[in-house]
Every structure is written in C-alpha cells, then in structure tokens.
C-alpha cells in the first residue's frame, strides 16, 4: 500500500479533486442509507396510523434522498474519472521528464522497458477509483452508521463494528492473501502465452515449413489451459472473500435485530427503530461490499507503482559534469582510440559481448562527409550512440572541438548533433508535428524543403491532408522506406553542425538511395556541417571524403573510394559482391530493355 | 450488444452459464426469503411485542437465508467466471490452430502485428463481456420477474408500481444511449488518437532525447493528457447519463413505493408486514438492472474484440491440405520436379508467375535468377505449398503436387529462408525445430557443417543461450548459419534455399557459400540466387522475368548461347 500511496493522485493534482471525489462517493452512500432510513421510518410510523402531518418530513426525506443519491452518483463518477485522468496525465508528464535524463543507455533501444512503463501507468489508474476513494468513503460511511447505532444501544454499535471489520478489512485482506501469489503467476503466465502466440505468428513460415505448426498450436492451447487453471484458482480465492463480505453483511442485520428486540421489549428502544436499524445496516454495507473484490487487483497495482517509483529514482547512465565546459560551435568531432563494449546489451544476455568498438580513430570536419561502412554488428551504430552520450566511453576519447564530450553538458552536446537512425521513432501525430520536433519554429516552406531533400516531398503531396496527415499509430501507415526518409528529413531540418546519419538509405530502392545520397554530397559544398554516414550499402558513397571500413569494432581499411577499389582489399571484394547482387536483382531487366 | 458467436458452444460452457443464471436466481430467491423473514420478524417484535426467545425461529431462518444468499451468490459468480475462463482458453487454442491452418502467407508479414493483438489483448478484452455482461443480461431479465411475483403475492398495487417503472428502464437507457452514440462517435476517434499519442511519447523517448526535445515533450505530454481528459470528460458526461437515468429510476421507484405503501398503511389499506416486505424488495428489484448498466461500459472493448476474433476464425483456411491426400514418394523426387505453366496472382492483383514452365532435375542444384519481383520467391513458396497455383501444376516425379498431403510433402523439404525466425528459447531449441528429438551428436555435426559452431563459441552460454525477442540478437550472418544448421539437421532430399543478399564480410561469405554447396550436394535443390558466384556453381539455371521463364539450362551452355544469362554474366 505504501507504494500506491506514494503515487496517489493527491501528490500531483492537489487535494481538492481527490477529496471531492471521495466526498461524493460518501454522499452517494449516505443518501442511500438515509433513503432507506426514511423509508423504514415512514412505513413503521404509518403502521401506527398517526395523522398524515407526522409523515410529511419522512416523505420529503424519501424524495430528497432518492434524488440526491442518483445525482451524487452521477457527479461522483464524473469527478472520480476526472481525478484519475488528471493524475495519470501528471504521472506521464513526470515520467517523461524524469526518464529523459536516464538517456538511451538506460532506457534501452528495444522499447521493452518503455512498453512496460506505459502498461504500469495504465494499471496505476485503477488505484484511486477502485481502492483509495472507496476505502476512504467506506470508512466515513461505516463510522456514520456506527455512530447512529451507538445512540440506539452500545451493543448494536459493537456488532456493527465487528461485521464491518469482517466485510471491510478481513475479507479484502483474505482476498489479497489468497490471490496475490496466484495473480503474479497468472500475469507471468499470460506474458509467456502472449509471447508464444506472437512468436508463432511471426515465425509461422518456419514452423509450417518444418511441419511444427500443429505442435506449436497445441503448445499454445496447453498454455491457455494452464492459465485458465491459474485464473480459476484466483477466482476462487477472490470469491471466498466476497462471500465472506456478503454473509457478514446479512448476518450483521440478524445480529442487530437479535440485540434490538430485547431493547424494544424493555422499552429502551422505540419499536419503529427496528425497521430503521435493519434497513440502515443493509444499505450501509453497499459501500463496504465491493472492497473485497477490489483487493484482487491490489497486488498488481502495487507492483506497478513500485516499478514506476523505482524508475523515477533510477540513476542516469550518463551524468553531466558539475561544472560543464562551454561547448564549441561543433566544427570538428574527433574519436581517438575509442573502445566500447556493451555491458549487458539486451535482456538476459549474461556477459559482456565482444567489443563493439576496438580502438577507433576518426575525424569529422565541417564541409566533409565521412562514410562508416561494414557488416552488421561491426560497431558502426555504436559511434553514433556514444556521441549522443547514450553510454559513457571508457578507454579512448571522443572530442567535440577539442573538448572531451564527458566534460560537456549532454544537452549542449546534443544541440550540435542532427541524428537520423533506423531506430528513430515516428510519433503518432501529423507529418508536420513529426518534422517540427526537430525545429519547432519552422514554417511550412522549410518543412517542404526538408521533405524535398529527403526525397519524400512527392509522397507527402500525395497524402490526403498533406502535412496535416496523421501518421504513426491510428494514422497512415508508413512503409520502412518512407519512415526512413521522414526520419532523415527531420534530421536535415535540424540545422545542426554535426550530422550523424545511421543507415539513411535503409529500405530504399537503389535509385532513390542514390538520389538521397547525391543531395547530401551536394550540400557539402555549402560548408554547413560535418557529416557521418553509417551504411552497410556501398553504392552511392563514391563522393565521400573518407570511407572507413569497420569489422568487429576494428578499422580494416580506410581511404577514398578509388584508392579502396584499386587496393583490392575487403572493400573492393565487398563492392564486387554488392554489384553482383544488384546485377542479379535489377540489371537483367534494365539490360533487356 | 453481445456477439451471438460468443454464446457458449461446449457442454461445459453451457453448464457454466446455466449455473451462473441458476445460482443468480437462487440468490434472488434467498433475497426474497430474507425480506420475508425480516418483515415478519420486525412486525412480530414491533407490533406483536414478541421477545427474543419467541423470535428465535425467525432469527435462525434469517441467518440461514443470509448464508444461502452469500453462498449462492458466490457460486453464481464462480460459474460466470468459469464461463469466461473456459471460453477464452478455448478461443486461444482455436485461434492458435486456425492461424496455423491459415498458413504463413496470410498470417506473417504486415498483418502479423494486428493478428498478435487480436489473439492476445483481444481475447483478454472478452472477459468483462463473458463473466459480467452475458450472465447479468440474463439475470436482469429473470430476477426482476421473480421479485415482481413475490411483491404481487404480498401487495398487488406495489407490484403494479414496480411493473410500470420497469419498461421505462430500457426505454430511457436506449434514448440516452442513442443520444450519446450520435454525439460521441467523433469524440471516440479523438480519444483514440490522443491516447495513442500519450502511449507513443514514452516509446519515442530516446528519439526525443537525441533531438533535444525531451523537456518540451514533457510539457507536451501534460498538455496532451489535459486535452485527452477534457475530451474524455465530454464523452463521459453523456455516457454516464444512461447510468444516471437507471439510478434515478431505481431510487424514484423505491421512493414512490415507500410513499405509496406508507400512505396506504396510514389508512389501513395494507398491513405492516407486507408493506415492509415490498419496501425491502424494491432495491433488489432494480439491482440486476443497475449491475447490467455498470457492466455495459466494461463490456464495450469486448464488442470490438469479438468482431475481430470471429472474423479471423471465419476466414477459410488455405486448401493446402491436399485434394486426394496421396502419400508422397518415400525418397522424395526421384525424377525431379516440374513447374508446368504455373500461374499465381496475389490478392492485391500483382501477377507473380504467369505460365512458368521449368524443371528442377533430381539430385541437382537449380538456381533461380531474375530481377526482384520476377517471381523467384513465389516459386519457392509454391513448392513449399505456402501458396497454391492459380493455374498450371507442379509435378513431382510425374505426380501432381496438389494431390499430395501438404504435411507429408513438407517432411521431405529442408527450407533455408533469407532470415530465419528466432523463437524464444535456447539456441539448441531453435535448432531442434528442424528435427525434434535429434541426438546431441547430430546437433553438433549439423552445427559444424553449417559453421554455426563458430556462432555458438561467441554466444555467452553456447547452446543454452536464449535467443529471440528477449534473448541475444544474432547478426544476419549468424542467423543465416543457424538456418543452414537447421537444414543440415533436417537432412531432407529436397532443399529450398533463399540466398541472403550480399554480406560485407567476404571471408564469412566464402564460408557460407562452401557450407551451402555441401548442403546442396546429392539433393534436389532450388536456390533463389542473389550472387553471381551461385549462378556459376549451379547445375541448372532458370532465368525468370515478369513471371515467365526466359531461359533455362546449364550455365556453361547458356553463356555460350549469348542470351540474357550471357549478358548478365558479362556485367562485372
């Protein structure tokens, strides 16, 4: 409960909303109790056949509380939802603010962690409407009923307290105890089941080709049955609690009557009160009864809250120096003997993997384009990540205008970089919003210019609402090539002195790729920036000022295109290979025309 | 509101639903008994002046009714949950089997993400519909009638009051509902977009950090959340109206009843005990309707999900199971495979093969060449029977492939895709996919032949390294070697290999080519070629263009003939 309370709505949206929601919840319960009290008093009194005037107040009470309950219930649902949405929005903003400094190094590139956070915030949304507000309202309402009963006889109040304890405290805790371990197991099993299903769908060609499709489906069905068994156990545990809560409510009424009848007989209690007591007690339990069922989700909410709290307190992967130096204009980036090994790369990978970079020397200068090429896994993208300060460099140096990047504020450093990578995210939003992330003040003309330079303008003109077209989730689906060009356009729009383009031509057909690269080389003449192109494809890089060939973190060759071709080394062989493949895939048709 | 196809199909599911409704009714009856007991007891003690000893019988009865009500309520709830648990488990199994039956062509690729969501989150979303809405809809139709009958027996006029308010419930709810639907259709769309954007912001955080926009973004998240809240509240203000109307009717009904019997009591037109009895029952009368109203919202996501799930389940499975189901020849193709005027057009209208006729000589390696889109991969998919030809036929030793049982046919095939799927599991399990139950020695041999042993040496835990989404990622060269190892382990007479596009590591490329040549030796092989060297080493070459064969034959002769192949060979 501590974790939930630490992330309770009143920590972020003030006390008024949450208090009002709880108050309305209490008002609904109180109106229900008073409606039943007035009704019971009305007919009990009427049975004694008084004058009609004696009943007027009760009749008015019945009408008033009847209306009041419906109205306050409606308002309560609105306010509780409002508070919940406000709070979860505030926590999202806090997380966005708090997670950013952790940097890509801690957040990971696979998106698993972030997906988890998103799910956790959603889970946390249930805390206020299902636990916190009902618990507070139930405490208030039961105390009120208890006080009323105490005026009728102390024994009645004691019986009431015992029943409330059973239905509102013991039953929920019983549910929690009976279901907590099972719920955790169920959630884990569900994750496994979903992962297996997804795995089977994505890998279906392999499964079917090897005749293992049916086995896989059987396995999923078996997992589904095991999960059903988990759910069944959880359901039973929860039902034991709700049955206890229900029985204690009804038995409480019996006990109250058993205690009240002698009081009536002894003349200590008006007979009219018997009906009132019974109906008030029944109505009073309406706010207590749902607590038992709600405690089934408490374990899950607590775990989610604990994870969010831990994340908000996590140590960043990279720390800014206490007194950062002033960053230069970004004319020159230099790597000296740069080494880097991913510690714990992805998921459960147990030990450090082979060096991603093993002694890299490289210079980027304004007006020059350097191409970093090599097979996948050669460490090409690592340099980009290190420049972005996703991780700290251990041995070797990375300098911006002669200053070690570790002595600069990360934000200042990143201001000088324009990055486009295959891992970059396209946000759910309009095309213009996606582009303006890089330059908030850019007008439409500049956006179109960037799209033109990234060879995406023709595509954008064909969209139903052009720049205002919604892309990403819930919008127009982009192909891999379109995404890549959008990311590139965003980087070009940024006007930063250092451009780091990680596979800018991935997913593009050969002709488009060539045009994109030709434009990049043409812009070199304007001396606008230093450019690094990371690529596994060689075609189109002929004009690079330097080509650095990387293999397993080491530089195996470097130089200009012609020199590398005539050297006949790894680069020349790879180029021949690539051209052969291009010939097979494209040239048969072009030659035959 | 409820998809008819969600109606319980199996005997156990029907029993669970019957139990949920039966126990729910029983709980309703217990409530009637409880109200009866309470009204009699209070009457007895209040007007009759009885003491506790005299009332002991009624007290005992009441206690029993209380226990019966709690127990039957819990039992009904258990049955309702059982219905949901069973139906969802059964649907998951059915979906898994149906997806396999639909085949890779219709399942993998662009639709994969959507199908995964349907089969996972979609099935979860049915819970509220099955465990709450479905049984409550039935109870809402039955329990009020039981209570109405009890009230009628005690005081017909009160029954009339309840009866009159009853049809108002669906009437007003429907009125408010249609009003809400008209006003909110557009707003739901806005809500969907705004919440997508909120989710998205966290996913894209690393990108925002790189763009230096993380701080602005946090403000943006705040603003978007605020807009989402405002939009959601506009929707909810209307959507909750139906609940409000229900609630209002229920309380007004109760109040009306109380005032009505109160006034009649005053004039002696009704006794105290039946008056209290009907007053106690009034909330019970409206309770199932209120519960139904509350679960209506919870069941909303299930509606969409059910439509998607059943649309998927009702997509007819591919007919690749084979017409006459002959057993394939035991030793695979002895005389080779022939494509005879094979045509295939994709659903989108793209013609991939247009009367392709060529042979795969037995025991030889045939290379398929041609520009991308010429139909090479389609030919491989047809041979794997992921697809069926629209016209023409594929013959295996003179027998139509369509007449063979697909599963039996695939047992004779080893497939090496460009990029194999890595399943969540260890490297060993990923290799064993090709032949479950293979001995450790066989695994080692296959790994060595495919040069996969080099990959294993680099993996942190060797054979036991977890691969797949949550495990170690393999580079394309490493994955390719795993695919080759699978094929070696499979040891099948027919090999279908989709050659990966060039690797930049020539040394690795040479090792892979060598392994591929060993794999092809003595097997009937179809290689979708992306490298010139592969064409040179093939026994037989088929050049495809726009779905037709433009040349086929032995590489040496084709070069001499001076056709397309020769032109291609001439280019560096």
């Amino acid at each position: 409960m501590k974790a939930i309370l630490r992330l309770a709505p009143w920590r972020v949206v003030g006390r008024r909303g949450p208090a009002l929601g709880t108050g309305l919840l209490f008002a609904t319960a109180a109106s229900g109790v008073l409606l039943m009290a007035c009704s019971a008093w009305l007919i009990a009194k009427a049975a004694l056949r008084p004058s009609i005037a004696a009943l007027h107040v009760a009749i008015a009470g019945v009408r008033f509380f009847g209306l009041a309950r419906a109205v306050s219930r409606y308002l309560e649902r609105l306010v509780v939802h409002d508070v919940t949405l406000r709070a979860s929005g505030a926590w999202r903003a806090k997380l966005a603010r708090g997670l950013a400094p952790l940097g890509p190094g801690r957040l990971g590139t696979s998106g698993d962690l972030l997906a988890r956070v998103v799910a956790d915030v959603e889970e946390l949304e249930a805390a206020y409407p299902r636990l916190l507000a009902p618990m507070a309202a139930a405490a208030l309402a039961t105390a009120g009923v208890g006080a009323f009963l105490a005026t009728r006889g102390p024994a009645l109040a004691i019986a009431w307290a015992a029943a409330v304890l059973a239905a509102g405290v013991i039953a929920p805790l019983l549910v929690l105890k009976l279901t907590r371990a099972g719920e955790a197991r169920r959630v884990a099993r569900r994750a496994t089941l979903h992962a297996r299903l997804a795995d089977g769908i994505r890998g279906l060609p392999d499964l079917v080709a090897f005749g293992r499709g049916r086995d896989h489906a059987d396995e999923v069905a078996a997992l589904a049955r095991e999960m059903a068994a988990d759910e069944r156990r959880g359901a039973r545990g929860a039902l034991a609690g709700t049955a206890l809560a229900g029985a204690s409510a009804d038995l409480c009424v019996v006990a109250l009557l058993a205690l009240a009848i002698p009081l009536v007989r002894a003349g200590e209690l008006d007979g009219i009160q018997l009906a009132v007591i019974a109906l008030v007690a029944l109505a009073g339990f309406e706010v207590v009864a749902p607590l038992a069922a709600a405690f089934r989700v408490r374990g899950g909410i607590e775990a989610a809250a604990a994870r969010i709290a831990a994340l908000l307190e996590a140590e960043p992967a990279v720390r800014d120096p206490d007194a950062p130096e002033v960053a230069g204009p970004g004319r020159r980036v230099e790597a000296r003997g740069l080494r880097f090994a991913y510690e714990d790369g992805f998921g459960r990978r147990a030990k450090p993997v082979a060096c991603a970079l093993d002694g890299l020397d490289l210079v980027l200068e304004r007006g020059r384009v350097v191409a970093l090429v090599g097979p996948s896994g050669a460490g090409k993208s690592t340099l980009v990540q290190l420049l972005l300060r996703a991780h700290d460099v251990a041995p070797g140096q990375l300098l911006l205008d002669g200053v070690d990047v570790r002595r600069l504020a990360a934000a200042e450093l990143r201001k000088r970089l324009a990055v486009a990578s295959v891992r970059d995210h396209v946000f759910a939003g309009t095309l213009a919003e996606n582009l303006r992330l890089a330059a908030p003040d850019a007008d439409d003309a500049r956006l179109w210019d960037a799209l033109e330079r990234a060879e995406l303008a023709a595509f954008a003109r064909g969209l139903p609402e052009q720049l205002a077209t919604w892309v990403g989730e819930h919008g127009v689906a982009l192909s891999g090539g379109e995404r890549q060009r959008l990311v590139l356009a965003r980087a070009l729009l940024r006007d930063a002195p250092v451009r780091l383009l990680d596979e800018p031509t991935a997913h593009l057909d050969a002709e488009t790729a060539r045009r994109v690269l030709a434009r990049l080389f043409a812009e070199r003449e304007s001396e606008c920036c230093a450019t690094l192109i990371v690529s596994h494809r060689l075609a189109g890089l002929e004009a690079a000022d330097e080509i650095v060939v990387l293999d397993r973190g080491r530089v195996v060759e470097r130089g200009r295109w012609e020199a590398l071709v005539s050297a006949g080394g790894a680069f020349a062989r790879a180029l021949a290979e690539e051209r052969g493949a291009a010939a097979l895939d494209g040239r048969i048709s072009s030659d035959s025309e | 509101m409820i998809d008819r196809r969600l109606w319980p199909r199996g005997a156990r599911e029907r029993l669970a639903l019957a139990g949920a409704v039966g126990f729910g009714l029983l709980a309703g009856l217990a409530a009637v008994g409880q109200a009866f007991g309470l009204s009699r007891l209070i009457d007895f003690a209040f007007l009759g002046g009885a003491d506790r000893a005299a009332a002991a019988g009624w007290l005992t009865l009441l206690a029993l009714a209380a226990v019966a009500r709690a127990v039957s309520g819990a039992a009904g709830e258990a049955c309702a949950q059982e219905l949901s648990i069973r139906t969802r488990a059964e649907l998951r199994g059915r979906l898994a089997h149906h997806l396999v039956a639909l085949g890779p062509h219709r399942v993998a690729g662009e639709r994969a993400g959507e199908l995964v969501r349907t089969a996972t989150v979609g099935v979860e979303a049915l819970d509220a519909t099955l465990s709450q809405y479905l049984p409550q809809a039935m109870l809402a139709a039955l329990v009020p009638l039981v209570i109405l009958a009890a009230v009628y027996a005690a005081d017909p006029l009160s029954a009339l009051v309840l009866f009159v308010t009853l049809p108002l419930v669906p009437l007003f709810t429907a009125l408010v509902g249609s009003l809400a639907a008209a006003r909110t259709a557009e707003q739901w769309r806005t809500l969907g977009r705004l919440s997508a954007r909120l989710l998205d912001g966290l996913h894209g955080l690393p990108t925002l950090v790189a763009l230096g926009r993380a701080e602005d973004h946090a403000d943006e998240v705040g603003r978007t959340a605020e807009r989402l809240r405002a939009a959601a509240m506009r929707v909810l203000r209307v959507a909750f109206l139906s609940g409000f109307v229900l609630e209002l009717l229920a309380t007004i009904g109760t109040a009306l009843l109380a005032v009505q019997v109160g006034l009649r009591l005053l004039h002696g037109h009704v006794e105290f005990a039946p008056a209290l009895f009907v007053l106690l029952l009034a909330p019970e009368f409206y309770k199932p309707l209120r519960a139904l109203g509350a679960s209506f919202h919870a069941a909303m996501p299930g509606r969409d999900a059910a439509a998607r799930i059943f649309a998927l389940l009702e997509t007819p499975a591919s007919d690749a199971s084979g017409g006459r189901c002959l057993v394939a020849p035991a030793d695979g193709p002895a005389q080779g495979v022939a494509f005879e005027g094979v045509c295939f057009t994709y659903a989108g209208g793209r013609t991939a093969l247009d009367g392709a006729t060529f042979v795969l000589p037995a025991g030889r390696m045939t290379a398929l060449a041609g520009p991308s889109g010429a139909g090479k991969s389609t030919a491989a998919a047809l041979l794997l029977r992921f697809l069926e030809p629209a016209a023409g036929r594929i013959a295996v030793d003179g027998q139509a492939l369509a007449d063979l049982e697909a599963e039996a046919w695939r047992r004779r095939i080893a497939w090496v895709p460009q990029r194999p799927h890595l399943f969540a599991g260890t490297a060993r399990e990923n290799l064993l996919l090709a032949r479950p139950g293979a001995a450790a020695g066989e695994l080692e041999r296959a790994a060595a032949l495919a040069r996969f042993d080099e990959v294993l040496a680099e993996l942190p835990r060797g054979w036991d390294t977890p691969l797949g989404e949550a495990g170690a990622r393999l580079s394309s060269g490493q994955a390719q070697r795993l695919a080759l190892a699978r094929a070696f382990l499979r040891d099948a007479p027919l090999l279908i290999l989709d050659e990966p596009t060039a690797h930049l590591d020539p040394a690795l490329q040479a090792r892979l080519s060598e392994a591929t040549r060993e794999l092809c030796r003595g097997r009937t092989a179809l290689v979708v070629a992306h490298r010139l060297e592969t064409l040179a080493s093939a026994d037989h070459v088929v050049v495809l263009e726009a779905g037709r064969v433009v040349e086929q034959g032995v590489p040496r002769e084709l070069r001499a003939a001076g056709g397309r192949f020769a032109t291609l060979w001439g280019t560096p």
Side-chain angles (χ1 to χ4, degrees):
Chain A
M1 212 63 202
K2 231 158 83 187
I4 296 181
L5 286 173
R6 276 178 62 197
L7 297 181
W10 54 83
R11 308 247 176 215
V12 280
V13 300
R15 283 165 195 283
R16 267 189 37 202
L20 181 63
T22 310
L24 283 167
L25 202 59
F26 167 71
T28 308
S31 308
V33 169
L34 291 168
L35 169 68
M36 290 320 277
C38 288
S39 309
W41 190 87
L42 172 66
I43 63 160
K45 185 76 179 170
L48 299 176
R49 303 211 182 161
S51 77
I52 182 124
L55 299 182
H56 276 327
V57 175
I59 290 174
V62 167
R63 284 179 185 150
F64 174 77
F65 290 120
L67 270 174
R69 187 171 78 149
V71 171
S72 98
R73 176 116 181 86
Y74 175 73
L75 293 176
E76 159 225 315
R77 286 177 85 184
L78 284 180
V79 172
V80 165
H81 272 82
D82 190 65
V83 168
T84 303
L85 289 170
R86 267 181 214 280
S88 87
W91 285 119
R92 286 207 166 98
K94 256 199 187 333
L95 275 168
R97 212 178 295 278
L99 292 184
L102 295 183
R106 277 276 188 282
L107 297 178
T109 44
S110 67
D112 289 352
L113 171 72
L114 292 168
R116 180 74 251 185
V117 177
V118 168
D120 281 344
V121 174
E122 277 184 358
E123 183 130 30
L124 185 67
E125 283 185 353
Y128 175 69
R130 291 204 63 187
L131 293 176
L132 298 173
M135 279 162 74
L140 286 173
T142 52
V145 173
F148 162 74
L149 290 175
T151 62
R152 301 295 179 264
L156 298 181
I158 291 169
W160 169 254
V164 167
L165 190 72
V169 179
I170 295 174
L173 290 177
L174 183 72
V175 170
L176 185 66
K177 186 175 154 45
L178 288 177
T179 60
R180 178 173 251 167
E183 281 292 295
R185 201 172 45 234
R186 187 178 70 85
V187 169
R189 181 113 58 190
R190 187 179 57 192
T192 311
L193 175 73
H194 286 184
R196 282 312 269 170
L197 251 171
D199 217 13
I201 287 172
R202 298 222 158 84
L204 195 60
D206 301 59
L207 285 173
V208 171
F210 288 115
R212 300 293 304 282
R214 197 167 300 152
D215 296 345
H216 183 269
D218 287 341
E219 192 194 338
V220 168
L223 270 171
R225 280 193 299 273
E226 282 169 33
M227 193 177 119
D230 286 339
E231 285 190 78
R232 211 166 273 141
R233 271 193 292 276
R236 280 185 199 144
L239 286 177
T242 44
L244 172 63
S248 13
D250 289 344
L251 288 173
C252 171
V253 177
V254 180
L256 287 176
L257 286 177
L259 292 168
I261 288 171
L263 293 179
V264 173
R265 191 134 167 94
E268 289 170 33
L269 191 66
D270 187 352
I272 293 176
Q273 298 292 335
L274 278 182
V276 176
I277 288 169
L279 266 71
V280 160
L282 276 178
F285 270 106
E286 268 196 26
V287 63
V288 182
L291 288 180
F295 264 53
R296 192 172 168 191
V297 295
R298 197 183 113 172
I301 299 176
E302 268 173 354
R307 277 191 297 264
I308 293 174
L311 211 50
L312 285 171
E313 288 159 8
E315 279 287 304
V318 170
R319 249 178 210 297
D320 274 350
D322 293 332
E325 292 195 20
V326 178
R331 288 187 158 272
R332 183 184 161 94
V333 172
E334 188 177 354
R336 284 192 201 149
L338 202 58
R339 291 171 60 100
F340 185 77
Y342 288 100
E343 266 171 27
D344 183 26
F346 302 101
R348 284 171 272 149
R349 187 177 278 191
K351 65 179 187 190
V353 288
C355 266
L357 282 178
D358 194 2
L360 174 71
D361 295 306
L362 189 108
V363 177
L364 302 178
E365 269 180 314
R366 187 163 291 189
R368 278 167 58 92
V369 177
V370 174
L372 193 58
V373 300
S376 73
K380 306 186 298 286
S381 304
T382 306
L383 176 65
V384 176
Q385 292 301 316
L386 290 178
L387 257 172
L388 274 171
R389 300 271 288 147
H391 308 273
D392 253 330
V393 197
Q397 276 189 309
L398 197 51
L399 309 168
L400 179 81
D401 297 319
V403 182
D404 193 309
V405 293
R406 280 170 292 193
R407 302 214 306 267
L408 301 174
E412 283 302 303
L413 169 67
R414 289 182 193 130
K415 244 183 225 164
R416 284 156 183 75
L417 308 176
V419 185
S421 121
V422 274
R423 283 189 293 257
D424 278 352
H425 193 74
V426 170
F427 292 87
T430 65
L431 192 58
E433 285 168 336
N434 264 291
L435 289 168
R436 285 207 175 96
L437 280 175
D441 307 322
D443 56 14
D444 282 6
R446 263 188 76 198
L447 300 189
W448 281 112
D449 175 57
L451 288 171
E452 201 72 59
R453 283 150 73 200
E455 293 286 335
L456 197 61
F459 167 77
R461 269 190 287 272
L463 289 173
E465 294 167 81
Q466 305 222 333
L467 286 177
T469 306
W470 192 279
V471 294
E473 200 156 334
H474 284 247
V476 173
L478 301 180
S479 76
E482 286 150 7
R483 274 180 74 95
Q484 198 50 35
R485 280 176 284 168
L486 171 54
V487 164
L488 177 65
R490 196 154 68 185
L492 295 179
L493 198 58
R494 202 158 143 76
D495 264 344
V498 180
R499 280 184 187 165
L500 306 171
L501 310 178
D502 194 350
E503 301 281 3
T505 60
H507 309 298
L508 300 190
D509 64 78
E511 198 37 52
T512 316
R514 195 167 277 282
R515 281 205 304 273
V516 167
L517 288 174
R519 278 184 193 271
L520 288 174
F521 283 115
E523 286 180 19
R524 168 172 56 180
E525 309 307 326
S526 68
E527 295 265 320
C528 65
C529 47
T531 307
L532 176 74
I533 297 177
V534 174
S535 177
H536 74 282
R537 177 145 66 175
L538 306 179
L541 297 175
E542 291 86 347
D545 295 288
E546 187 185 28
I547 297 174
V548 179
V549 185
L550 213 58
D551 191 5
R552 291 177 209 202
R554 289 171 191 274
V555 177
V556 289
E557 266 188 311
R558 66 198 307 163
R560 290 188 65 95
W561 179 279
E562 304 78 28
L564 288 173
V565 170
S566 53
F571 180 83
R573 281 196 301 273
L575 183 64
E577 189 71 48
E578 184 179 297
R579 285 190 170 157
L584 276 184
D585 278 347
R587 230 173 271 181
I588 294 179
S589 54
S590 55
D591 284 354
S592 64
E593 274 159 13
Chain B
M1 171 63 205
I2 288 182
D3 199 304
R4 269 189 305 120
R5 294 163 292 188
L6 270 181
W7 198 253
R9 303 179 349 139
R12 297 234 181 181
E13 284 85 351
R14 289 214 184 96
L15 191 67
L17 181 60
V21 175
F23 281 116
L25 270 176
L26 215 59
L29 284 174
V32 171
Q34 200 180 6
F36 184 72
L38 269 178
S39 59
R40 283 302 153 117
L41 173 63
I42 292 173
D43 180 41
F44 198 34
F46 168 39
L47 300 174
D51 63 6
R52 185 152 62 187
W58 286 115
L59 285 170
T60 318
L61 181 80
L62 269 178
L64 286 176
V67 172
R69 192 177 174 192
V71 169
S72 52
E77 181 88 345
C79 287
Q81 299 207 355
E82 179 64 21
L83 171 68
S84 164
I85 290 168
R86 268 193 181 278
T87 309
R88 282 180 295 122
E90 194 257 350
L91 273 177
R92 282 201 182 91
R94 249 166 84 196
L95 278 170
H97 279 104
H98 193 72
L99 286 168
V100 170
L102 281 177
H105 173 57
R106 269 184 280 185
V107 168
E110 282 172 23
R111 282 193 67 205
E114 181 203 323
L115 292 177
V116 168
R117 272 195 298 281
T118 302
T120 55
V121 188
V123 175
E124 286 292 296
L126 294 180
D127 185 32
T129 308
L130 288 164
S131 72
Q132 297 174 33
Y133 194 80
L134 180 57
Q136 272 162 9
M138 299 183 73
L139 285 174
L142 293 173
V143 172
L145 291 182
V146 171
I147 291 177
L148 199 63
V151 170
Y152 182 81
D155 180 32
L157 201 59
S158 294
L160 187 67
V161 171
L162 291 181
F163 186 73
V164 167
T165 59
L166 189 60
L168 295 180
V169 172
L171 181 71
F172 277 95
T173 321
L175 273 178
V176 174
S178 66
L179 174 74
R183 278 201 43 190
T184 55
E186 172 58 28
Q187 286 169 344
W188 279 118
R189 208 167 76 102
T190 314
L191 277 185
R193 285 187 157 186
L194 286 173
S195 60
R197 165 177 283 189
L198 269 184
L199 295 186
D200 207 42
L202 278 174
H203 283 304
L205 203 55
T207 300
L208 292 165
V209 172
L211 287 168
R213 295 297 305 281
E215 193 60 24
D216 302 330
H217 177 71
D219 300 337
E220 163 76 16
V221 166
R223 277 194 300 273
T224 308
E226 177 53 29
R227 278 171 59 199
L228 175 68
R229 184 196 62 78
M233 292 316 292
R234 271 197 301 278
V235 173
L236 292 179
R237 266 195 285 277
V238 180
F240 285 163
L241 272 183
S242 61
F244 173 64
V245 170
L246 257 171
E247 197 82 19
L248 201 62
L249 278 172
T251 41
I252 288 179
T254 308
L256 215 63
L257 196 82
V259 173
Q260 176 261 133
V261 291
L263 292 177
R264 279 165 59 226
L265 261 174
L266 192 63
H267 301 295
H269 297 320
V270 64
E271 293 297 313
F272 174 71
L276 185 59
F277 177 64
V278 300
L279 181 65
L280 281 166
L281 280 183
E284 300 295 332
F285 177 77
Y286 295 106
K287 206 179 191 174
L289 292 166
R290 285 167 60 203
L292 186 67
S295 66
F296 183 81
H297 267 288
M300 280 297 250
R303 215 167 132 179
D304 232 24
R308 272 181 289 124
I309 289 166
F310 287 109
L312 181 59
L313 285 175
E314 283 164 13
T315 310
S318 74
D319 42 8
S321 54
R324 277 158 49 202
C325 291
L326 295 184
V327 176
D331 304 322
Q335 295 139 40
V337 177
F339 278 62
E340 298 166 359
V342 171
C343 299
F344 187 84
T345 304
Y346 284 98
R350 186 172 73 84
T351 300
L353 284 179
D354 186 13
T357 301
F358 61 91
V359 292
L360 309 177
R364 298 295 164 93
M365 170 189 163
T366 302
L368 274 188
S372 53
K376 300 180 303 248
S377 305
T378 308
L382 284 166
L383 197 55
L384 275 159
R385 298 198 63 191
F386 287 175
L387 305 172
E388 294 293 310
R393 70 165 201 162
I394 302 171
V396 182
D397 294 345
Q399 199 170 41
L401 181 59
D403 288 341
L404 303 180
E405 198 205 344
E407 293 244 336
W409 166 245
R410 291 195 195 107
R411 273 199 284 278
R412 282 156 188 60
I413 301 178
W415 180 49
V416 183
Q418 272 208 349
R419 173 126 201 139
H421 183 80
L422 301 180
F423 291 91
T426 62
R428 181 183 291 107
E429 286 162 353
N430 265 288
L431 185 49
L432 276 173
L433 177 80
R435 189 146 63 87
E442 292 173 302
L443 287 181
E444 297 286 354
R445 206 170 313 124
L449 284 168
R451 319 295 190 264
F452 186 60
D453 48 353
E454 302 162 12
V455 178
L456 286 170
E458 286 172 23
L459 291 176
R461 281 153 64 190
W463 283 109
D464 296 317
T465 310
L467 304 180
E469 280 284 304
R473 309 250 161 126
L474 299 189
S475 71
S476 57
Q478 291 173 319
Q480 182 64 23
R481 277 173 278 179
L482 172 65
L484 284 173
R486 278 180 184 166
F488 273 111
L489 186 67
R490 183 87 167 161
D491 195 17
L494 180 64
L495 174 73
I496 300 173
L497 190 145
D498 203 344
E499 196 174 39
T501 41
H503 285 285
L504 223 115
D505 179 354
L508 172 63
Q509 186 62 66
R511 290 204 297 282
L512 283 179
S513 303
E514 202 185 332
T516 307
R517 272 196 300 278
E518 281 163 36
L519 184 60
C520 289
R521 192 168 300 142
R523 293 186 168 93
T524 308
L526 173 71
V527 177
V528 177
H530 293 289
R531 306 178 55 245
L532 278 176
E533 194 201 313
T534 313
L535 288 189
S537 64
D539 299 310
H540 185 79
V541 172
V542 176
V543 182
L544 280 173
E545 212 179 290
R548 292 167 175 278
V549 175
V550 290
E551 257 184 341
Q552 64 174 317
V554 181
R556 205 170 352 98
E557 291 166 10
L558 288 180
R559 265 158 82 182
R564 298 271 161 76
F565 183 76
T567 328
L568 166 69
W569 196 251
T571 59

